[in-house]
Amino acid sequence: MKIAIGCDHGGYELKEIIKDYLRNELRIEFQDFGTYNKNRCDYPDYAFLVAEAVSSKKCEFGIMIDGAGIGSSMMANKIPGVLAACVNEIYTAENSRHHNGANVLTMGSMVVGPGVAKEIVRIFLTTRFEGDRNKKRVQSILDIEQRLLNNKR
């Protein structure tokens, strides 16, 4: 498993904590798409890079951290094949994977602390998609996305 990870300036410190957690505790490989410091920057740029890595199958999952997690989720969901979930608590971490097959996790550094963020990441990465009863619903999302893309051509 390889994870794409990124952040804006507001998520930088939490991203570094999550990278350490992925590397040393979960022993999961990742690629850091930036930002690499706390200088002001725009979350859409980094959310795009994370989502693109997942869409292109270079990475199995993505993690993007900004102030609230909402904006990054909105950006990531513009990329075909990405199912991004803004998750700032434990229940939604499991539900977004189990029922919705999410492949990009976004979190808000102003909403969750490091302990909860680590647990969210662990649950998100270890919960399997329950394909039987939810596969049709998720496929509907992807089919509508494809229809919209085809109509733009």
Side-chain angles (χ1 to χ4, degrees), residues 74-123:
M74 293 168 70
M75 176 65 244
N77 278 315
K78 298 291 183 186
I79 307 304
V82 169
L83 297 167
C86 179
V87 174
N88 289 313
E89 42 73 32
I90 304 300
Y91 174 77
T92 309
E94 180 179 15
N95 188 274
S96 68
R97 285 286 306 130
H98 194 248
H99 293 279
N100 306 114
N103 53 15
V104 173
L105 164 68
T106 69
M107 292 188 291
S109 64
M110 302 295 288
V111 183
V112 297
V116 172
K118 288 178 188 178
E119 186 64 6
I120 288 169
V121 166
R122 184 189 67 75
I123 289 170

mmCIF file of all heavy atoms in Angstrom, residues 74-123:
data_model
loop_
_atom_site.group_PDB
_atom_site.id
_atom_site.type_symbol
_atom_site.label_atom_id
_atom_site.label_comp_id
_atom_site.label_asym_id
_atom_site.label_seq_id
_atom_site.Cartn_x
_atom_site.Cartn_y
_atom_site.Cartn_z
ATOM 1 N N MET A 74 -13.522 19.140 -1.368
ATOM 2 C CA MET A 74 -14.203 19.672 -2.547
ATOM 3 C C MET A 74 -13.280 19.621 -3.770
ATOM 4 O O MET A 74 -13.704 19.223 -4.855
ATOM 5 C CB MET A 74 -14.675 21.095 -2.277
ATOM 6 C CG MET A 74 -15.773 21.154 -1.221
ATOM 7 S SD MET A 74 -16.107 22.816 -0.619
ATOM 8 C CE MET A 74 -16.875 23.529 -2.048
ATOM 9 N N MET A 75 -12.029 20.004 -3.592
ATOM 10 C CA MET A 75 -11.068 19.973 -4.701
ATOM 11 C C MET A 75 -10.812 18.546 -5.152
ATOM 12 O O MET A 75 -10.859 18.249 -6.348
ATOM 13 C CB MET A 75 -9.755 20.635 -4.267
ATOM 14 C CG MET A 75 -8.644 20.582 -5.307
ATOM 15 S SD MET A 75 -8.997 21.501 -6.808
ATOM 16 C CE MET A 75 -9.043 20.186 -8.005
ATOM 17 N N ALA A 76 -10.529 17.664 -4.221
ATOM 18 C CA ALA A 76 -10.197 16.276 -4.567
ATOM 19 C C ALA A 76 -11.338 15.602 -5.321
ATOM 20 O O ALA A 76 -11.103 14.822 -6.245
ATOM 21 C CB ALA A 76 -9.839 15.495 -3.306
ATOM 22 N N ASN A 77 -12.566 15.914 -4.947
ATOM 23 C CA ASN A 77 -13.719 15.286 -5.594
ATOM 24 C C ASN A 77 -13.954 15.767 -7.024
ATOM 25 O O ASN A 77 -14.801 15.214 -7.726
ATOM 26 C CB ASN A 77 -14.978 15.471 -4.746
ATOM 27 C CG ASN A 77 -15.049 14.437 -3.653
ATOM 28 O OD1 ASN A 77 -14.800 13.258 -3.889
ATOM 29 N ND2 ASN A 77 -15.377 14.861 -2.447
ATOM 30 N N LYS A 78 -13.196 16.741 -7.486
ATOM 31 C CA LYS A 78 -13.272 17.178 -8.883
ATOM 32 C C LYS A 78 -12.470 16.262 -9.800
ATOM 33 O O LYS A 78 -12.630 16.299 -11.017
ATOM 34 C CB LYS A 78 -12.741 18.612 -9.034
ATOM 35 C CG LYS A 78 -13.513 19.647 -8.260
ATOM 36 C CD LYS A 78 -14.882 19.848 -8.830
ATOM 37 C CE LYS A 78 -15.615 20.955 -8.091
ATOM 38 N NZ LYS A 78 -16.989 21.061 -8.546
ATOM 39 N N ILE A 79 -11.611 15.438 -9.225
ATOM 40 C CA ILE A 79 -10.734 14.571 -10.007
ATOM 41 C C ILE A 79 -11.451 13.247 -10.273
ATOM 42 O O ILE A 79 -11.909 12.589 -9.339
ATOM 43 C CB ILE A 79 -9.394 14.330 -9.274
ATOM 44 C CG1 ILE A 79 -8.751 15.657 -8.872
ATOM 45 C CG2 ILE A 79 -8.461 13.474 -10.127
ATOM 46 C CD1 ILE A 79 -8.513 16.628 -10.007
ATOM 47 N N PRO A 80 -11.566 12.828 -11.532
ATOM 48 C CA PRO A 80 -12.269 11.591 -11.865
ATOM 49 C C PRO A 80 -11.735 10.379 -11.091
ATOM 50 O O PRO A 80 -10.526 10.191 -10.959
ATOM 51 C CB PRO A 80 -12.018 11.429 -13.368
ATOM 52 C CG PRO A 80 -11.814 12.826 -13.862
ATOM 53 C CD PRO A 80 -11.077 13.522 -12.748
ATOM 54 N N GLY A 81 -12.677 9.600 -10.575
ATOM 55 C CA GLY A 81 -12.328 8.387 -9.847
ATOM 56 C C GLY A 81 -12.019 8.585 -8.385
ATOM 57 O O GLY A 81 -11.839 7.621 -7.645
ATOM 58 N N VAL A 82 -11.977 9.825 -7.943
ATOM 59 C CA VAL A 82 -11.683 10.105 -6.533
ATOM 60 C C VAL A 82 -12.988 10.207 -5.758
ATOM 61 O O VAL A 82 -13.941 10.852 -6.188
ATOM 62 C CB VAL A 82 -10.854 11.398 -6.374
ATOM 63 C CG1 VAL A 82 -10.770 11.833 -4.924
ATOM 64 C CG2 VAL A 82 -9.454 11.186 -6.946
ATOM 65 N N LEU A 83 -13.010 9.526 -4.630
ATOM 66 C CA LEU A 83 -14.119 9.600 -3.683
ATOM 67 C C LEU A 83 -13.523 10.095 -2.370
ATOM 68 O O LEU A 83 -13.042 9.319 -1.551
ATOM 69 C CB LEU A 83 -14.773 8.226 -3.523
ATOM 70 C CG LEU A 83 -15.417 7.649 -4.783
ATOM 71 C CD1 LEU A 83 -15.741 6.174 -4.593
ATOM 72 C CD2 LEU A 83 -16.656 8.437 -5.157
ATOM 73 N N ALA A 84 -13.508 11.421 -2.211
ATOM 74 C CA ALA A 84 -12.890 12.038 -1.037
ATOM 75 C C ALA A 84 -13.927 12.273 0.046
ATOM 76 O O ALA A 84 -15.058 12.681 -0.236
ATOM 77 C CB ALA A 84 -12.227 13.360 -1.412
ATOM 78 N N ALA A 85 -13.520 12.002 1.279
ATOM 79 C CA ALA A 85 -14.393 12.210 2.431
ATOM 80 C C ALA A 85 -13.691 13.114 3.436
ATOM 81 O O ALA A 85 -12.549 12.859 3.812
ATOM 82 C CB ALA A 85 -14.740 10.878 3.084
ATOM 83 N N CYS A 86 -14.388 14.154 3.842
ATOM 84 C CA CYS A 86 -13.900 15.013 4.914
ATOM 85 C C CYS A 86 -14.260 14.330 6.222
ATOM 86 O O CYS A 86 -15.438 14.161 6.545
ATOM 87 C CB CYS A 86 -14.536 16.392 4.828
ATOM 88 S SG CYS A 86 -14.008 17.504 6.143
ATOM 89 N N VAL A 87 -13.247 13.917 6.959
ATOM 90 C CA VAL A 87 -13.454 13.118 8.169
ATOM 91 C C VAL A 87 -12.738 13.785 9.331
ATOM 92 O O VAL A 87 -11.516 13.936 9.307
ATOM 93 C CB VAL A 87 -12.909 11.678 7.969
ATOM 94 C CG1 VAL A 87 -12.991 10.890 9.256
ATOM 95 C CG2 VAL A 87 -13.655 10.978 6.853
ATOM 96 N N ASN A 88 -13.508 14.161 10.339
ATOM 97 C CA ASN A 88 -12.920 14.782 11.519
ATOM 98 C C ASN A 88 -13.341 14.078 12.810
ATOM 99 O O ASN A 88 -13.233 14.629 13.886
ATOM 100 C CB ASN A 88 -13.269 16.271 11.559
ATOM 101 C CG ASN A 88 -12.523 17.047 10.494
ATOM 102 O OD1 ASN A 88 -11.322 16.877 10.331
ATOM 103 N ND2 ASN A 88 -13.223 17.872 9.753
ATOM 104 N N GLU A 89 -13.841 12.843 12.675
ATOM 105 C CA GLU A 89 -14.159 12.019 13.834
ATOM 106 C C GLU A 89 -14.171 10.550 13.426
ATOM 107 O O GLU A 89 -14.178 10.233 12.237
ATOM 108 C CB GLU A 89 -15.457 12.460 14.524
ATOM 109 C CG GLU A 89 -16.612 12.834 13.623
ATOM 110 C CD GLU A 89 -17.286 11.654 12.936
ATOM 111 O OE1 GLU A 89 -17.349 10.556 13.501
ATOM 112 O OE2 GLU A 89 -17.751 11.837 11.813
ATOM 113 N N ILE A 90 -14.165 9.684 14.399
ATOM 114 C CA ILE A 90 -13.941 8.255 14.202
ATOM 115 C C ILE A 90 -15.046 7.570 13.387
ATOM 116 O O ILE A 90 -14.765 6.803 12.473
ATOM 117 C CB ILE A 90 -13.785 7.539 15.571
ATOM 118 C CG1 ILE A 90 -12.662 8.170 16.397
ATOM 119 C CG2 ILE A 90 -13.584 6.045 15.394
ATOM 120 C CD1 ILE A 90 -11.299 8.134 15.781
ATOM 121 N N TYR A 91 -16.312 7.821 13.703
ATOM 122 C CA TYR A 91 -17.404 7.124 13.037
ATOM 123 C C TYR A 91 -17.356 7.323 11.526
ATOM 124 O O TYR A 91 -17.494 6.386 10.756
ATOM 125 C CB TYR A 91 -18.766 7.573 13.580
ATOM 126 C CG TYR A 91 -19.909 6.960 12.799
ATOM 127 C CD1 TYR A 91 -20.279 5.633 12.999
ATOM 128 C CD2 TYR A 91 -20.589 7.686 11.828
ATOM 129 C CE1 TYR A 91 -21.297 5.042 12.262
ATOM 130 C CE2 TYR A 91 -21.611 7.116 11.085
ATOM 131 C CZ TYR A 91 -21.961 5.797 11.309
ATOM 132 O OH TYR A 91 -22.955 5.220 10.563
ATOM 133 N N THR A 92 -17.165 8.562 11.095
ATOM 134 C CA THR A 92 -17.154 8.854 9.669
ATOM 135 C C THR A 92 -15.946 8.239 8.975
ATOM 136 O O THR A 92 -16.017 7.905 7.794
ATOM 137 C CB THR A 92 -17.206 10.376 9.432
ATOM 138 O OG1 THR A 92 -18.290 10.916 10.191
ATOM 139 C CG2 THR A 92 -17.427 10.710 7.976
ATOM 140 N N ALA A 93 -14.846 8.077 9.688
ATOM 141 C CA ALA A 93 -13.662 7.418 9.110
ATOM 142 C C ALA A 93 -14.027 6.004 8.669
ATOM 143 O O ALA A 93 -13.720 5.588 7.547
ATOM 144 C CB ALA A 93 -12.517 7.388 10.114
ATOM 145 N N GLU A 94 -14.695 5.275 9.537
ATOM 146 C CA GLU A 94 -15.090 3.910 9.207
ATOM 147 C C GLU A 94 -16.184 3.897 8.139
ATOM 148 O O GLU A 94 -16.108 3.158 7.161
ATOM 149 C CB GLU A 94 -15.568 3.160 10.445
ATOM 150 C CG GLU A 94 -15.974 1.734 10.134
ATOM 151 C CD GLU A 94 -16.435 0.947 11.349
ATOM 152 O OE1 GLU A 94 -16.714 1.560 12.398
ATOM 153 O OE2 GLU A 94 -16.532 -0.280 11.225
ATOM 154 N N ASN A 95 -17.196 4.719 8.324
ATOM 155 C CA ASN A 95 -18.331 4.740 7.406
ATOM 156 C C ASN A 95 -17.921 5.130 5.992
ATOM 157 O O ASN A 95 -18.402 4.550 5.011
ATOM 158 C CB ASN A 95 -19.407 5.688 7.941
ATOM 159 C CG ASN A 95 -20.683 5.605 7.155
ATOM 160 O OD1 ASN A 95 -20.820 6.282 6.139
ATOM 161 N ND2 ASN A 95 -21.611 4.782 7.614
ATOM 162 N N SER A 96 -17.029 6.096 5.872
ATOM 163 C CA SER A 96 -16.619 6.555 4.547
ATOM 164 C C SER A 96 -15.920 5.466 3.745
ATOM 165 O O SER A 96 -16.001 5.445 2.514
ATOM 166 C CB SER A 96 -15.711 7.787 4.653
ATOM 167 O OG SER A 96 -14.468 7.440 5.233
ATOM 168 N N ARG A 97 -15.260 4.553 4.423
ATOM 169 C CA ARG A 97 -14.621 3.426 3.747
ATOM 170 C C ARG A 97 -15.588 2.261 3.593
ATOM 171 O O ARG A 97 -15.749 1.723 2.515
ATOM 172 C CB ARG A 97 -13.396 2.966 4.551
ATOM 173 C CG ARG A 97 -12.217 3.879 4.433
ATOM 174 C CD ARG A 97 -11.512 3.788 3.096
ATOM 175 N NE ARG A 97 -11.148 2.403 2.818
ATOM 176 C CZ ARG A 97 -11.417 1.768 1.680
ATOM 177 N NH1 ARG A 97 -12.009 2.393 0.689
ATOM 178 N NH2 ARG A 97 -11.065 0.511 1.509
ATOM 179 N N HIS A 98 -16.237 1.887 4.695
ATOM 180 C CA HIS A 98 -17.088 0.701 4.729
ATOM 181 C C HIS A 98 -18.277 0.824 3.789
ATOM 182 O O HIS A 98 -18.586 -0.099 3.037
ATOM 183 C CB HIS A 98 -17.554 0.476 6.174
ATOM 184 C CG HIS A 98 -18.151 -0.860 6.416
ATOM 185 N ND1 HIS A 98 -19.483 -1.026 6.706
ATOM 186 C CD2 HIS A 98 -17.605 -2.090 6.409
ATOM 187 C CE1 HIS A 98 -19.727 -2.318 6.877
ATOM 188 N NE2 HIS A 98 -18.614 -2.985 6.699
ATOM 189 N N HIS A 99 -18.931 1.965 3.799
ATOM 190 C CA HIS A 99 -20.152 2.149 3.014
ATOM 191 C C HIS A 99 -19.951 2.912 1.711
ATOM 192 O O HIS A 99 -20.735 2.733 0.779
ATOM 193 C CB HIS A 99 -21.216 2.873 3.845
ATOM 194 C CG HIS A 99 -21.719 2.065 4.987
ATOM 195 N ND1 HIS A 99 -22.676 1.101 4.843
ATOM 196 C CD2 HIS A 99 -21.366 2.063 6.294
ATOM 197 C CE1 HIS A 99 -22.910 0.529 6.018
ATOM 198 N NE2 HIS A 99 -22.117 1.099 6.911
ATOM 199 N N ASN A 100 -18.948 3.790 1.659
ATOM 200 C CA ASN A 100 -18.806 4.669 0.504
ATOM 201 C C ASN A 100 -17.557 4.417 -0.330
ATOM 202 O O ASN A 100 -17.396 5.033 -1.373
ATOM 203 C CB ASN A 100 -18.816 6.137 0.951
ATOM 204 C CG ASN A 100 -20.033 6.461 1.782
ATOM 205 O OD1 ASN A 100 -19.919 6.761 2.960
ATOM 206 N ND2 ASN A 100 -21.209 6.371 1.187
ATOM 207 N N GLY A 101 -16.673 3.554 0.131
ATOM 208 C CA GLY A 101 -15.468 3.241 -0.643
ATOM 209 C C GLY A 101 -14.563 4.429 -0.871
ATOM 210 O O GLY A 101 -13.872 4.500 -1.888
ATOM 211 N N ALA A 102 -14.545 5.378 0.061
ATOM 212 C CA ALA A 102 -13.702 6.568 -0.096
ATOM 213 C C ALA A 102 -12.244 6.163 -0.303
ATOM 214 O O ALA A 102 -11.766 5.201 0.294
ATOM 215 C CB ALA A 102 -13.828 7.475 1.131
ATOM 216 N N ASN A 103 -11.561 6.910 -1.163
ATOM 217 C CA ASN A 103 -10.148 6.629 -1.399
ATOM 218 C C ASN A 103 -9.232 7.804 -1.059
ATOM 219 O O ASN A 103 -8.015 7.683 -1.130
ATOM 220 C CB ASN A 103 -9.908 6.134 -2.831
ATOM 221 C CG ASN A 103 -10.474 7.044 -3.894
ATOM 222 O OD1 ASN A 103 -10.819 8.192 -3.642
ATOM 223 N ND2 ASN A 103 -10.575 6.520 -5.109
ATOM 224 N N VAL A 104 -9.823 8.941 -0.705
ATOM 225 C CA VAL A 104 -9.056 10.086 -0.217
ATOM 226 C C VAL A 104 -9.695 10.569 1.082
ATOM 227 O O VAL A 104 -10.907 10.777 1.159
ATOM 228 C CB VAL A 104 -9.000 11.234 -1.250
ATOM 229 C CG1 VAL A 104 -8.344 12.480 -0.658
ATOM 230 C CG2 VAL A 104 -8.247 10.794 -2.502
ATOM 231 N N LEU A 105 -8.863 10.727 2.080
ATOM 232 C CA LEU A 105 -9.256 11.218 3.401
ATOM 233 C C LEU A 105 -8.795 12.659 3.523
ATOM 234 O O LEU A 105 -7.626 12.955 3.267
ATOM 235 C CB LEU A 105 -8.577 10.361 4.470
ATOM 236 C CG LEU A 105 -8.539 10.890 5.905
ATOM 237 C CD1 LEU A 105 -9.931 10.916 6.504
ATOM 238 C CD2 LEU A 105 -7.610 10.029 6.748
ATOM 239 N N THR A 106 -9.711 13.559 3.871
ATOM 240 C CA THR A 106 -9.309 14.924 4.189
ATOM 241 C C THR A 106 -9.660 15.194 5.644
ATOM 242 O O THR A 106 -10.674 14.705 6.151
ATOM 243 C CB THR A 106 -9.963 15.975 3.261
ATOM 244 O OG1 THR A 106 -11.363 16.061 3.517
ATOM 245 C CG2 THR A 106 -9.719 15.641 1.796
ATOM 246 N N MET A 107 -8.783 15.954 6.296
ATOM 247 C CA MET A 107 -8.981 16.287 7.715
ATOM 248 C C MET A 107 -8.639 17.745 7.951
ATOM 249 O O MET A 107 -7.856 18.333 7.209
ATOM 250 C CB MET A 107 -8.072 15.436 8.613
ATOM 251 C CG MET A 107 -8.399 13.985 8.663
ATOM 252 S SD MET A 107 -7.409 13.108 9.920
ATOM 253 C CE MET A 107 -5.780 13.165 9.191
ATOM 254 N N GLY A 108 -9.196 18.274 9.027
ATOM 255 C CA GLY A 108 -8.930 19.649 9.417
ATOM 256 C C GLY A 108 -8.035 19.731 10.631
ATOM 257 O O GLY A 108 -8.393 19.244 11.700
ATOM 258 N N SER A 109 -6.892 20.362 10.477
ATOM 259 C CA SER A 109 -5.962 20.500 11.594
ATOM 260 C C SER A 109 -6.507 21.409 12.692
ATOM 261 O O SER A 109 -6.048 21.339 13.836
ATOM 262 C CB SER A 109 -4.619 21.048 11.103
ATOM 263 O OG SER A 109 -4.783 22.361 10.593
ATOM 264 N N MET A 110 -7.475 22.246 12.363
ATOM 265 C CA MET A 110 -8.099 23.114 13.359
ATOM 266 C C MET A 110 -9.267 22.412 14.055
ATOM 267 O O MET A 110 -9.855 22.954 14.978
ATOM 268 C CB MET A 110 -8.609 24.407 12.694
ATOM 269 C CG MET A 110 -7.539 25.204 11.988
ATOM 270 S SD MET A 110 -6.286 25.848 13.114
ATOM 271 C CE MET A 110 -7.218 27.117 13.937
ATOM 272 N N VAL A 111 -9.583 21.192 13.604
ATOM 273 C CA VAL A 111 -10.730 20.460 14.122
ATOM 274 C C VAL A 111 -10.291 19.264 14.957
ATOM 275 O O VAL A 111 -10.874 18.991 16.004
ATOM 276 C CB VAL A 111 -11.642 19.981 12.959
ATOM 277 C CG1 VAL A 111 -12.876 19.270 13.489
ATOM 278 C CG2 VAL A 111 -12.026 21.143 12.061
ATOM 279 N N VAL A 112 -9.281 18.538 14.506
ATOM 280 C CA VAL A 112 -8.834 17.332 15.217
ATOM 281 C C VAL A 112 -7.412 17.504 15.733
ATOM 282 O O VAL A 112 -6.588 18.165 15.110
ATOM 283 C CB VAL A 112 -8.888 16.065 14.322
ATOM 284 C CG1 VAL A 112 -10.298 15.763 13.895
ATOM 285 C CG2 VAL A 112 -7.984 16.174 13.128
ATOM 286 N N GLY A 113 -7.160 16.889 16.874
ATOM 287 C CA GLY A 113 -5.807 16.861 17.417
ATOM 288 C C GLY A 113 -5.061 15.654 16.900
ATOM 289 O O GLY A 113 -5.641 14.778 16.236
ATOM 290 N N PRO A 114 -3.784 15.569 17.209
ATOM 291 C CA PRO A 114 -2.950 14.480 16.692
ATOM 292 C C PRO A 114 -3.432 13.083 17.072
ATOM 293 O O PRO A 114 -3.374 12.173 16.239
ATOM 294 C CB PRO A 114 -1.577 14.757 17.296
ATOM 295 C CG PRO A 114 -1.582 16.200 17.651
ATOM 296 C CD PRO A 114 -3.002 16.546 17.965
ATOM 297 N N GLY A 115 -3.899 12.888 18.289
ATOM 298 C CA GLY A 115 -4.345 11.559 18.717
ATOM 299 C C GLY A 115 -5.537 11.069 17.920
ATOM 300 O O GLY A 115 -5.552 9.935 17.425
ATOM 301 N N VAL A 116 -6.537 11.904 17.779
ATOM 302 C CA VAL A 116 -7.730 11.545 17.009
ATOM 303 C C VAL A 116 -7.359 11.399 15.533
ATOM 304 O O VAL A 116 -7.824 10.482 14.861
ATOM 305 C CB VAL A 116 -8.859 12.584 17.211
ATOM 306 C CG1 VAL A 116 -10.021 12.315 16.263
ATOM 307 C CG2 VAL A 116 -9.338 12.570 18.650
ATOM 308 N N ALA A 117 -6.503 12.270 15.020
ATOM 309 C CA ALA A 117 -6.102 12.193 13.617
ATOM 310 C C ALA A 117 -5.419 10.853 13.324
ATOM 311 O O ALA A 117 -5.703 10.227 12.292
ATOM 312 C CB ALA A 117 -5.171 13.351 13.264
ATOM 313 N N LYS A 118 -4.570 10.400 14.206
ATOM 314 C CA LYS A 118 -3.914 9.101 14.003
ATOM 315 C C LYS A 118 -4.936 7.976 13.981
ATOM 316 O O LYS A 118 -4.855 7.069 13.148
ATOM 317 C CB LYS A 118 -2.889 8.833 15.114
ATOM 318 C CG LYS A 118 -1.654 9.666 15.032
ATOM 319 C CD LYS A 118 -0.756 9.315 16.222
ATOM 320 C CE LYS A 118 0.413 10.225 16.352
ATOM 321 N NZ LYS A 118 1.231 9.877 17.536
ATOM 322 N N GLU A 119 -5.893 8.012 14.879
ATOM 323 C CA GLU A 119 -6.922 6.972 14.915
ATOM 324 C C GLU A 119 -7.786 7.019 13.657
ATOM 325 O O GLU A 119 -8.140 5.978 13.098
ATOM 326 C CB GLU A 119 -7.778 7.112 16.178
ATOM 327 C CG GLU A 119 -8.780 6.013 16.380
ATOM 328 C CD GLU A 119 -8.168 4.625 16.608
ATOM 329 O OE1 GLU A 119 -6.928 4.485 16.727
ATOM 330 O OE2 GLU A 119 -8.945 3.655 16.651
ATOM 331 N N ILE A 120 -8.113 8.213 13.183
ATOM 332 C CA ILE A 120 -8.874 8.355 11.944
ATOM 333 C C ILE A 120 -8.105 7.723 10.790
ATOM 334 O O ILE A 120 -8.665 6.957 9.996
ATOM 335 C CB ILE A 120 -9.180 9.846 11.654
ATOM 336 C CG1 ILE A 120 -10.241 10.366 12.625
ATOM 337 C CG2 ILE A 120 -9.614 10.052 10.203
ATOM 338 C CD1 ILE A 120 -10.431 11.875 12.599
ATOM 339 N N VAL A 121 -6.820 8.018 10.694
ATOM 340 C CA VAL A 121 -5.989 7.465 9.626
ATOM 341 C C VAL A 121 -5.943 5.942 9.718
ATOM 342 O O VAL A 121 -6.119 5.245 8.710
ATOM 343 C CB VAL A 121 -4.567 8.066 9.662
ATOM 344 C CG1 VAL A 121 -3.597 7.276 8.792
ATOM 345 C CG2 VAL A 121 -4.604 9.535 9.250
ATOM 346 N N ARG A 122 -5.721 5.416 10.898
ATOM 347 C CA ARG A 122 -5.648 3.961 11.075
ATOM 348 C C ARG A 122 -6.947 3.293 10.637
ATOM 349 O O ARG A 122 -6.946 2.330 9.869
ATOM 350 C CB ARG A 122 -5.353 3.597 12.534
ATOM 351 C CG ARG A 122 -5.161 2.083 12.743
ATOM 352 C CD ARG A 122 -5.091 1.710 14.206
ATOM 353 N NE ARG A 122 -6.348 1.931 14.905
ATOM 354 C CZ ARG A 122 -7.428 1.150 14.781
ATOM 355 N NH1 ARG A 122 -7.413 0.096 13.986
ATOM 356 N NH2 ARG A 122 -8.532 1.435 15.443
ATOM 357 N N ILE A 123 -8.067 3.828 11.098
ATOM 358 C CA ILE A 123 -9.372 3.248 10.758
ATOM 359 C C ILE A 123 -9.635 3.373 9.254
ATOM 360 O O ILE A 123 -10.071 2.423 8.603
ATOM 361 C CB ILE A 123 -10.494 3.890 11.586
ATOM 362 C CG1 ILE A 123 -10.381 3.429 13.042
ATOM 363 C CG2 ILE A 123 -11.872 3.561 11.014
ATOM 364 C CD1 ILE A 123 -11.269 4.177 14.008
#
